[in-house]
Amino acid sequence: MAAFSFAVLISGNGSNLQAMIDAIEKENISGKICCVLSDKENAYGLKRASRAKIPIEVVSNKDFETREDFDTELVKVLSTYKPDLIVLAGFMRILSPKFINAFTEKILNIHPSLLPKYPGLNTHERVLESSDKIHGITVHFVDESLDGGPICAQSSIQINTSSVKELEEEIHKLEYELYPKVVSWFGEGLLKLSNGKVYFENSELKIGGIDEN
Ligand code: GRF
């Protein structure tokens, strides 16, 4: 059987991409990144990919009139690499059914909140404004809803700061631990999505997925 291979989609810094690259290096993920695709040609994550000798692709939505056309091109480009999994890591575009159906049950995203709380942007600010005591991250399969797909795993921290920057740093640390782990579970066939339900070692996960605390 061919080795597990996955594509990583980014729009910016790519620190989660870096965590994947490091996890492969340390053999915490058994597999390879077949390509890194960005919708922004100046995304710093592309430099990280090049340093690790991973093929890079840039597809800008500005070159397409509709989201459908953009997604058609994404599918075309990614399909040439035959990825087993699509890993969204700070990819700032909402994907259409065209894309989701092309990689059905094979798209993961990481979101910086304990979903279903705080879908969308500026999660750290919103958590602090609400005086929450706990904050965290969610890895989920992607469906057509915004940050609403079936949850694989979550990890959380107690909030001990009023600084968005500090909170973001703490949240990032959680992400670098959890996301590569979930990707490796998928690669090893331990984790899968089937008919909208998430299974770990063939047992259906309860709502909220695996609690990594
Ligand atoms: C992460 O915080 C992730 O949760 C969110 O976008 C951010 C990407 O950061 N989806 P980076 O590009 O991986 O540094």
Side-chain angles (χ1 to χ4, degrees), residues 12-17 89-92 109-112 124 172 175-176:
N13 182 21
S15 62
N16 278 281
L17 162 68
F91 187 64
M92 300 303 283
N109 184 39
I110 188 157
H111 183 75
H124 313 309
H172 267 141
E175 293 184 338
Y176 308 152

Side-chain angles (χ1 to χ4, degrees), residues 38-190:
S38 172
D39 61 320
K40 301 267 183 294
E41 66 182 353
N42 59 355
Y44 182 69
L46 291 173
K47 291 204 171 65
R48 300 179 190 270
S50 296
R51 269 204 304 266
K53 301 195 167 43
I54 299 166
I56 61 174
E57 300 280 357
V58 177
V59 182
S60 170
N61 61 303
K62 292 197 188 117
D63 295 335
F64 300 89
E65 273 184 20
T66 65
R67 189 189 293 172
E68 282 266 304
D69 290 348
F70 172 61
D71 282 8
T72 301
E73 180 66 11
L74 289 182
V75 170
K76 193 171 136 202
V77 169
L78 289 169
S79 297
T80 63
Y81 294 93
K82 298 190 170 42
D84 299 308
L85 177 69
I86 306 288
V87 172
L88 306 182
F91 187 64
M92 300 303 283
R93 316 254 21 125
I94 295 172
L95 296 162
S96 69
K98 175 109 214 170
F99 186 94
I100 290 159
N101 294 333
F103 299 107
T104 177
E105 299 176 339
K106 293 201 300 192
I107 312 171
L108 286 177
N109 184 39
I110 188 157
H111 183 75
S113 80
L114 292 169
L115 291 171
K117 287 183 98 175
Y118 309 111
L121 298 174
N122 304 321
T123 58
H124 313 309
E125 286 87 340
R126 288 154 66 203
V127 161
L128 290 174
E129 275 162 20
S130 304
S131 306
D132 286 8
K133 304 259 183 302
I134 292 175
H135 186 26
I137 59 167
T138 303
V139 178
H140 64 95
F141 282 105
V142 173
D143 64 13
E144 288 167 31
S145 59
L146 174 68
D147 300 325
I151 293 175
C152 306
Q154 296 188 308
S155 179
S156 60
I157 46 165
Q158 302 276 343
I159 301 174
N160 291 313
T161 178
S162 54
S163 149
V164 170
K165 197 166 181 312
E166 277 178 28
L167 192 55
E168 186 180 37
E169 277 169 16
E170 286 185 62
I171 285 294
H172 267 141
K173 281 189 202 143
L174 293 184
E175 293 184 338
Y176 308 152
E177 283 288 313
L178 185 64
Y179 209 8
K181 214 184 267 185
V182 175
V183 167
S184 104
W185 292 337
F186 185 94
E188 283 164 27
L190 296 172

